[in-house]
């Protein structure tokens, strides 16, 4: 899968930035031959773990070690556009590409801090690594992102909501030692749980109580 990043900016015209990002977000040729919107969700449903791109792995490892060194928490948001395969079938590739880019920009503009990065995983999934962000602020940021996307009012006639929405999985941990890949898996599982419950849902998992119990038992 490909990944791309958009960093929260404080100025610049919306569509200028969208056009400049378009080239970086184009899927590779083999993906263009076979549209894969929604494949990440399908893969999870049959037990296949999605592969992370190098950029996402780098961001996760960097955020993990940074938080561990500073002894602060690390939050991770995994976001997926709801019913994207249905959107693609209804509106076609060009409209779908525009929808994904507009959604990614709305996510980026709603991030809590300048410099926070929205990373794209596959066709319709986004990953946000948020070091040193308290869990309540991470939840509030997730809600703000969801509202920003709803305010775009992008029509989605195959969705019960009537507009484009996203579901989210949030994981929070206190990193120590080397990066643990189970952290991303926890956020992805939270996303899967949110999607099972319907549209525009947010599910969170706090790994810190289990970590504390394990530490005390050691």
């Amino acid at each position: 899968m490909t990944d791309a990043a958009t960093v929260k900016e404080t100025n610049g015209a919306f569509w200028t930035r969208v056009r400049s990002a378009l080239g970086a977000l184009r899927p590779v040729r083999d993906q263009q031959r076979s549209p894969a919107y929604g494949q990440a969700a399908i893969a999870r449903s049959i037990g296949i773990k999605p592969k992370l791109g190098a950029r996402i792995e780098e961001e996760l490892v960097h955020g993990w070690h940074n938080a561990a060194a500073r002894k602060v928490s690390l939050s991770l948001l995994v976001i997926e556009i709801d019913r994207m395969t249905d959107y693609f079938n209804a509106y076609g590739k060009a409209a779908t590409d525009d929808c994904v880019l507009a959604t990614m920009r709305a996510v980026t503009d709603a991030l809590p801090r300048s410099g926070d990065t929205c990373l794209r995983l596959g066709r319709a999934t986004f990953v946000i690594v948020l070091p040193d962000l308290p869990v309540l602020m991470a939840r509030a940021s997730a809600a703000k992102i969801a509202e920003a996307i709803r305010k775009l009012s992008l029509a989605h006639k195959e969705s019960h909501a009537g507009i484009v929405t996203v579901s989210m999985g949030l994981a929070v941990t206190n990193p120590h030692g080397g990066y643990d890949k189970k952290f991303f898996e926890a956020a992805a599982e939270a996303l899967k749980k949110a999607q099972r419950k319907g549209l525009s849902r947010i599910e969170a998992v706090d790994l810190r109580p289990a970590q504390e119990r394990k530490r005390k038992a050691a």
Side-chain angles (χ1 to χ4, degrees):
M1 288 187 178
T2 58
D3 58 50
T6 302
V7 180
K8 182 180 177 70
E9 300 170 341
T10 56
N11 51 44
F14 173 85
W15 287 111
T16 298
R17 287 176 286 152
V18 168
R19 284 191 294 270
S20 67
L22 182 59
L25 296 177
R26 291 286 186 191
V28 295
R29 287 182 183 175
D30 60 338
Q31 289 174 318
Q32 287 176 333
R33 288 196 300 268
S34 178
Y37 295 100
Q39 279 190 357
I42 294 170
R44 284 195 301 273
S45 71
I46 59 176
I48 300 173
K49 295 177 181 178
K51 293 182 179 179
L52 299 182
R55 180 69 178 87
I56 294 176
E57 288 276 12
E58 178 185 333
E59 189 76 11
L60 281 165
V61 171
H62 176 74
W64 181 279
H65 290 306
N66 183 20
R70 297 168 59 194
K71 293 182 171 57
V72 296
S73 63
L74 177 65
S75 296
L76 174 64
L77 272 173
V78 180
I79 304 170
E80 191 163 277
I81 300 175
D82 293 322
R83 303 195 65 173
M84 204 58 199
T85 299
D86 293 332
Y87 187 98
F88 179 87
N89 291 335
Y91 296 97
K93 185 180 184 303
T96 301
D97 287 344
D98 289 344
C99 171
V100 172
L101 288 172
T103 300
M104 188 173 186
R105 176 51 56 190
V107 171
T108 300
D109 288 345
L111 292 178
R113 300 167 298 197
S114 177
D116 285 335
T117 305
C118 177
L119 299 161
R120 183 173 170 185
L121 173 62
R123 300 297 187 104
T125 305
F126 310 102
V127 177
I128 303 168
V129 182
L130 297 168
D132 197 13
L133 191 71
V135 63
L136 291 180
M137 289 185 65
R139 285 177 177 270
S141 296
K144 182 179 178 181
I145 289 169
E147 179 62 20
I149 293 167
R150 283 193 293 268
K151 284 183 177 180
L152 290 176
S153 297
L154 298 173
H156 189 343
K157 65 183 180 181
E158 298 300 324
S159 169
H160 295 307
I163 58 173
V164 170
T165 58
V166 296
S167 294
M168 305 187 199
L170 169 65
V172 183
T173 188
N174 284 334
H176 65 277
Y179 169 65
D180 187 350
K181 291 184 178 181
K182 291 181 180 179
F183 180 50
F184 176 84
E185 293 171 8
E189 182 60 32
L191 168 62
K192 184 177 177 181
K193 183 177 180 181
Q195 291 172 324
R196 286 197 298 265
K197 291 185 175 182
L199 301 173
S200 194
R201 300 278 184 160
I202 302 171
E203 287 291 329
V205 56
D206 191 341
L207 304 175
R208 295 174 299 175
Q211 289 176 321
E212 183 63 18
R213 289 194 297 270
K214 185 177 180 180
R215 185 188 67 80
K216 289 180 177 179

